[in-house]
Amino acid sequence: RSTKVVVKVAAKRPRAKVAKVTASGVPKRLAPGAAVSVRGAYSPASAPAVKVRYSSSRPSVARIDSAGRLRALKPGRTTLTVRAGSKRIKLPLTVR
């Protein structure tokens, strides 16, 4: 007597990777003490949910927190970096 076995295999779609990172609300210049909100985003929308991260090359000049709140502290120049997955965008900022 023979037994019939049926196996179903569900093929998964490959997940799209982050292709591009953008940032809005980033001024080129800020006065010491000023604060703004920066919004980072990534595309394509079908990319898996990844956290957008922010950093400043000189946190003594301008500090940015994990929510994108940017505060200018003292005169100088810094570079803000917005990252999502393996992609990033760098934005210059002058505080004066």
Side-chain angles (χ1 to χ4, degrees):
R1 205 169 155 133
S2 68
T3 303
K4 185 177 180 182
V5 176
V6 177
V7 177
K8 290 186 178 183
V9 177
K12 290 185 177 182
R13 286 185 173 180
R15 298 180 102 179
K17 293 183 179 180
V18 173
K20 184 178 180 182
V21 176
T22 58
S24 60
V26 182
K28 293 199 183 286
R29 291 188 186 138
L30 269 180
V36 297
S37 288
V38 174
R39 179 170 159 74
Y42 59 87
S43 62
S46 60
V50 296
K51 187 171 183 173
V52 176
R53 299 181 189 275
Y54 305 92
S55 63
S56 170
S57 64
R58 295 187 60 207
S60 63
V61 173
R63 187 170 296 159
I64 189 163
D65 66 15
S66 61
R69 290 183 293 263
L70 171 65
R71 178 170 295 280
L73 301 174
K74 69 178 189 178
R77 293 177 189 226
T78 187
T79 300
L80 303 175
T81 303
V82 181
R83 298 175 196 261
S86 63
K87 300 295 181 180
R88 69 179 177 227
I89 184 172
K90 292 188 174 200
L91 307 155
L93 174 68
T94 301
V95 178
R96 63 175 175 169

